[in-house]
Amino acid sequence: FQSQHRERDLKLFEKPGNRSEGRNYGIKQASYHWIAITDAGCIPDKIWLEKLAQKAEQNEVLIVAGYYRGAPQSSFEQAVIPYMLVMPDQINQANFLPATRSMLVHKSVWKEVGGFDEKLLLSEDYAFAKRIQRAGYRIVFSYEAQVTWRPIKNLRQFFVTAQGMTEHDVRAGITRNKARSVVARYLLMIAIYLYHPAIFLAVTSIYLLWSLFKNAQYLSRDWWWLPILQVTADFAVMSGL
């Protein structure tokens, strides 16, 4: 890896189409074998590329999953973060899949798994990572290779994003365990309601309290957003399915 970068090595491309098409086009144009990827709306740390490269060299791997942290500017954005990102205390390094917010991948890997699926408008990086995983490549995680991500700004955008990600997961042949659990959860709640409405109210109250319990630690204020986001996410997932 080169630690020195020259302006003449930097090229910008414009490609009409979705972001999967854009990423694939950009990677095809790249002159070198290692591809570092981040998203629009993300700001890499100054040491981001260095830490990705160090991890790849130290572990002799062809793909590194970096980390991403939220940079909220409102109480709503603060509440969205635990629903959209993996929180530091929830990281399982052995199973952490790379996302295009922060990723280093060798061009040979991208080529072998067929690149990003250009039929997917959302969740294309998850489908890409799952194909890499199925191909048997070892993925290592670098907590130090961080980018800052600006969260979703309003409830409508949150619903549309969660719905679209679930829909495109299914289009890619993927149904996440969390999506299955949401469906099972609501089928059970419907059955409880039909059996005894009073028990249904009690179970619903417990469910909303659970949404507070699991994520309130990540908020300094305005915790009341959490039950709203939980129910919104649930219905977005079921709608997407």
Side-chain angles (χ1 to χ4, degrees), residues 14 23 29 48 56 71 73-74 84 113 115-116 128 133 147-148 150 153 162 173 180 196 201 210 224:
E14 291 186 9
R23 287 195 182 103
Q29 307 306 311
W48 171 71
Q73 296 185 12
S74 69
M84 301 299 292
V113 301
F116 292 92
F128 180 68
Q133 190 180 52
V147 302
T148 300
R150 177 70 190 277
K153 297 180 180 180
R180 294 191 181 98
H196 202 300
L201 291 175
W210 169 76
W224 48 269

Side-chain angles (χ1 to χ4, degrees), residues 21 40 42 72 107 110 165 178 184 231 233:
E21 293 172 318
C42 292
K107 201 170 183 179
W110 166 84
M165 290 176 65
K178 286 184 178 180
V231 174

Side-chain angles (χ1 to χ4, degrees), residues 11 14 43 102 135 150-151 157 168 171 173-174 177 192 198 241:
K11 299 177 183 178
E14 291 186 9
I43 302 173
S102 180
R150 177 70 190 277
Q157 191 179 19
H168 285 83
R171 290 182 184 275
I174 300 168
N177 290 333
I192 292 172
L241 289 172

